[in-house]
Amino acid sequence: MAPGMHNNVPDRFELFLLGDGEKKVTEEPDTRIPSSSIFTFRKEDHTLANMLRSRLLQSQHVSFAGYKVPHPLVSEFILRIQTDGTIAPRAALMQACQELITDLGILSREFTKEWELRKMVGDGAKADDRNGDRR
């Protein structure tokens, strides 16, 4: 593409920075289905949407969780949650978020631990090579 010509792809910063007065998440109760809400997440994509959907479906109180991305050039997804009525969809979402934060913290700690162990093993092997220790 020639310099100065623009295509319809948004600037990169528009994919993750909220505009003035723009909310990250909005909730709209679904009046057609009992115990159901539609959440719109702005400046997010399939990564978070699929993690939330997967975690929500693990809950015994969630009877449906699904998402869609309205357009690939707009960083937004719509998440629909239906519960059995014992908890509200918003409470189910909050619980799923807390569980994901816990899971990701565990993943981070385990990854860091493995990374450090592999670095130590690698450093030890390099030291053996320098000292001529060939087993």
Side-chain angles (χ1 to χ4, degrees):
M1 182 179 321
M5 293 185 65
H6 299 284
N7 57 15
N8 63 350
V9 177
D11 291 326
R12 287 188 189 269
F13 71 87
E14 290 180 9
L15 298 175
F16 56 88
L17 290 179
L18 291 170
D20 291 338
E22 188 176 20
K23 290 186 176 184
K24 184 71 164 181
V25 182
T26 56
E27 178 184 10
E28 180 181 329
D30 187 350
T31 57
R32 299 173 297 160
I33 302 170
S35 301
S36 179
S37 284
I38 300 167
F39 298 89
T40 302
F41 287 75
R42 288 176 183 74
K43 309 302 182 188
E44 294 294 345
D45 61 10
H46 285 284
T47 305
L48 179 62
N50 196 37
M51 286 193 301
L52 285 172
R53 180 198 59 82
S54 178
R55 177 52 79 177
L56 283 161
L57 290 174
Q58 292 176 10
S59 170
Q60 64 184 13
H61 301 293
V62 174
S63 51
F64 177 82
Y67 76 93
K68 68 179 179 178
V69 175
H71 193 279
L73 292 179
V74 178
S75 55
E76 172 180 292
F77 69 87
I78 298 168
L79 177 68
R80 181 184 302 266
I81 303 170
Q82 181 182 5
T83 64
D84 60 7
T86 57
I87 63 172
R90 183 183 185 129
L93 178 60
M94 296 298 288
Q95 181 180 355
C97 287
Q98 289 299 324
E99 291 169 357
L100 272 177
I101 290 168
T102 300
D103 290 348
L104 292 172
I106 292 167
L107 176 66
S108 176
R109 282 191 301 279
E110 291 297 315
F111 179 84
T112 301
K113 182 172 72 176
E114 286 295 321
W115 178 261
E116 293 300 323
L117 286 172
R118 292 194 186 265
K119 277 181 28 182
M120 288 188 325
V121 168
D123 290 346
K126 287 178 189 174
D128 289 345
D129 288 345
R130 282 194 303 267
N131 295 331
D133 187 10
R134 309 247 185 235
R135 294 180 192 191

